[in-house]
Amino acid sequence: LAQEDILPVNFPLQDPRQTMRVLSTLIASVVAYPAGAPSAVCADPPGKPNHGTADFTAGTGDYTITVKGSDGTAVTEVAAGQDYTVELAGASFKGGLIHASGGTLAPGTGAAATGACVTHTSRDAKEKLTATWTAPASGTTATLQANVVVSHQVFHGGGAIKLDVTVTGGSSTTAAPAADTTTTVEAVASGVVGFSMVTAMGLATLC
């Protein structure tokens, strides 16, 4: 905080418990990261926001994470290495975090990168957070997960908000079939026999 942002406390704090409550509120407001989640919570599943002693609120809160193709249609099957839009959406919220188990994420409008994840850039009310996701180059599935911060004490996620996506195409490690050597061996053997017979006939003629 800048010096000019620190406001003086103009009332007496006679009760030590009141002092602790005020200090806890001030500290929580500093570490709540209104400009985006820190990279430390970019994990699988996403880590808990640093909001004091508050923990994840059970359930998804009706927030969803979807993957959309270039035509805006939601999909659950993607082509390896191709780009898609990931959207975290629901009722008005203040902050969010999007994590992908594979591929790469790039922030959409009003978002920023934090580690390998995408997060909000302000605590202004919003109804969606978007990112461009490049699907992994190979594999069979990828999981997208999200955290949503509704208020300082109410946030959802930690593995509750997620979407499993099937990845098709990509590189393959299938071994090439072994060459059929039967014909080759037989041909070599036949050639050797033929050469031997011709040689023997030639020697007999000379004799």
Side-chain angles (χ1 to χ4, degrees):
L1 292 175
Q3 182 66 37
E4 58 270 20
D5 294 329
I6 301 176
L7 301 178
V9 178
N10 295 319
F11 55 89
L13 299 175
Q14 302 296 336
D15 187 345
R17 291 173 297 180
Q18 182 183 9
T19 302
M20 291 303 298
R21 284 195 295 270
V22 171
L23 289 176
S24 296
T25 301
L26 290 174
I27 292 172
S29 67
V30 172
V31 300
Y33 303 103
S39 59
V41 299
C42 181
D44 183 6
K48 183 174 76 70
N50 191 2
H51 291 186
T53 59
D55 204 348
F56 283 109
T57 304
T60 66
D62 290 331
Y63 293 96
T64 60
I65 186 166
T66 57
V67 175
K68 297 182 178 181
S70 57
D71 61 354
T73 303
V75 298
T76 56
E77 183 175 293
V78 299
Q82 298 301 304
D83 290 345
Y84 297 87
T85 297
V86 176
E87 183 178 279
L88 170 62
S92 179
F93 61 95
K94 294 183 178 296
L97 181 84
I98 299 174
H99 173 276
S101 65
T104 57
L105 289 168
T109 303
T114 178
C117 294
V118 166
T119 187
H120 59 281
T121 56
S122 78
R123 59 184 172 190
D124 294 341
K126 55 187 70 65
E127 294 183 350
K128 67 178 180 179
L129 181 69
T130 62
T132 297
W133 177 50
T134 303
S138 62
T140 56
T141 60
T143 300
L144 293 129
Q145 301 182 77
N147 282 353
V148 173
V149 176
V150 181
S151 67
H152 189 268
Q153 297 294 317
V154 179
F155 43 92
H156 302 270
I161 305 171
K162 67 177 183 178
L163 176 70
D164 292 324
V165 179
T166 300
V167 181
T168 61
S171 60
S172 174
T173 57
T174 304
D180 185 357
T181 58
T182 303
T183 303
T184 304
V185 172
E186 291 178 349
V188 171
S190 177
V192 171
V193 172
F195 175 78
S196 299
M197 292 178 64
V198 170
T199 303
M201 292 173 63
L203 290 175
T205 302
L206 291 175
C207 295

